[in-house]
Amino acid sequence: MEQQNYAQLVLNTCLKAGKIMMEAGSEVYRVEDTMKRIALNAGLDDIQTYVTATGLIVGFPSEQNSQVIQITPQSINLEKVTAVNQGSRQFADGELSLPDFYLYLEEVDHATPDFPYIWKIIAAGVVSSTLMIILNGTWFDFIPTFIIGIIGFAVHTFFGNNLHMKFLNDFVAALVIGCLSLLAVSSSVARDVNSLIIGSIMPLVPGLAITNAFRDIMAGHLISGVARGTEALFIAGAIGGGIIVAFNFF
């Protein structure tokens, strides 16, 4: 009975670590590697894992024990990924016992701080305006791009939090960005509408999803890689659709 309880704790710890990492935007191969290292350091080296973008399956054939857990909608919080990896290293070095490691993961899941929202929208403006300059834009359009990038990101976040309809927030944010860019150029506040739009949509581009999709496919995780690549394509299509509708308005 004690061995079964220990195996169940190892299983729960692996699932907890994998769930946190997947929901924080980690790659599939990194999640599998972390769970296998946790099990190996806990003394159970026959772990079997199956990771997808929507669920985790972990089992120990020798213990006749397996479990599945659902992955909820994901966000980008690489600080959680780093925290899980750090805890895994401490567990491997003997600095944390298995029960303490599980409690550590619970704390990481619920208490890891995120950046304040005001920092996020300011960062969106900085990313928009600086990338606009890098992509051969003019300094005259720097401030308008900064403002439109902030508004576009705020709209994206607002609709994402309130409508809970995936891809619609990307479409609406791109539509607002396109309309504001065209208005800025028509009112002589800015000069190049293409630079404004390209810079302002940069915070919406699914760069992490595209990167993870390629890395998963190259690592042999075809299902997760194709799923994430398809999601990135839909996001890109929603952004492009919003810009097209904005041009049709004017």
Side-chain angles (χ1 to χ4, degrees):
M1 181 63 70
E2 184 178 349
Q3 177 63 22
Q4 290 180 349
N5 292 336
Y6 180 78
Q8 184 62 46
L9 181 57
V10 175
L11 182 62
N12 292 339
T13 304
C14 292
L15 286 169
K16 190 68 176 179
K19 179 178 173 65
I20 293 172
M21 295 180 71
M22 283 298 295
E23 292 179 350
S26 180
E27 311 95 316
V28 168
Y29 79 89
R30 189 184 303 276
V31 174
E32 287 194 342
D33 181 69
T34 300
M35 292 193 297
K36 289 178 179 178
R37 289 178 183 274
I38 292 172
L40 181 62
N41 291 322
L44 298 175
D45 57 358
D46 63 335
I47 183 174
Q48 299 294 321
T49 63
Y50 183 74
V51 181
T52 70
T54 56
L56 301 175
I57 301 175
V58 179
F60 298 107
S62 63
E63 302 295 331
Q64 297 183 349
N65 195 1
S66 63
Q67 194 169 330
V68 61
I69 192 170
Q70 182 181 8
I71 302 299
T72 55
Q74 303 176 16
S75 61
I76 299 174
N77 192 338
L78 299 183
E79 190 168 350
K80 285 188 175 182
V81 178
T82 302
V84 172
N85 286 331
Q86 180 63 31
S88 177
R89 295 188 188 97
Q90 292 178 351
F91 175 62
D93 294 338
E95 299 177 16
L96 289 175
S97 64
L98 185 61
D100 290 338
F101 183 33
Y102 184 81
L103 293 176
Y104 170 85
L105 293 175
E106 288 278 2
E107 184 178 357
V108 168
D109 193 19
H110 297 99
T112 300
D114 197 2
F115 288 104
Y117 182 67
I118 186 65
W119 287 19
K120 290 183 179 181
I121 61 174
I122 291 176
V126 172
V127 168
S128 300
S129 52
T130 52
L131 286 178
M132 183 272 299
I133 295 296
I134 292 174
L135 297 172
N136 296 323
T138 62
W139 286 102
F140 185 84
D141 296 333
F142 186 88
I143 298 300
T145 306
F146 181 86
I147 296 173
I148 295 173
I150 285 178
I151 295 174
F153 182 80
V155 170
H156 179 270
T157 304
F158 175 80
F159 279 92
N161 292 337
N162 290 277
L163 293 183
H164 303 291
M165 295 181 65
K166 205 169 182 63
F167 311 120
L168 181 60
N169 57 334
D170 299 288
F171 174 83
V172 175
L175 175 62
V176 170
I177 288 172
C179 292
L180 290 177
S181 299
L182 290 166
L183 284 173
V185 172
S186 63
S187 58
S188 300
V189 176
R191 292 176 181 171
D192 188 359
V193 66
N194 294 324
S195 297
L196 286 178
I197 292 175
I198 292 173
S200 300
I201 66 172
M202 282 301 170
L204 310 181
V205 174
L208 182 64
I210 295 172
T211 302
N212 285 349
F214 275 104
R215 296 189 71 173
D216 286 342
I217 290 173
M218 293 174 66
H221 301 285
L222 301 181
I223 295 178
S224 296
V226 171
R228 283 178 163 173
T230 303
E231 179 185 10
L233 277 176
F234 272 94
I235 293 174
I239 295 173
I243 298 299
I244 290 172
V245 173
F247 272 97
N248 287 333
F249 278 163
F250 291 85

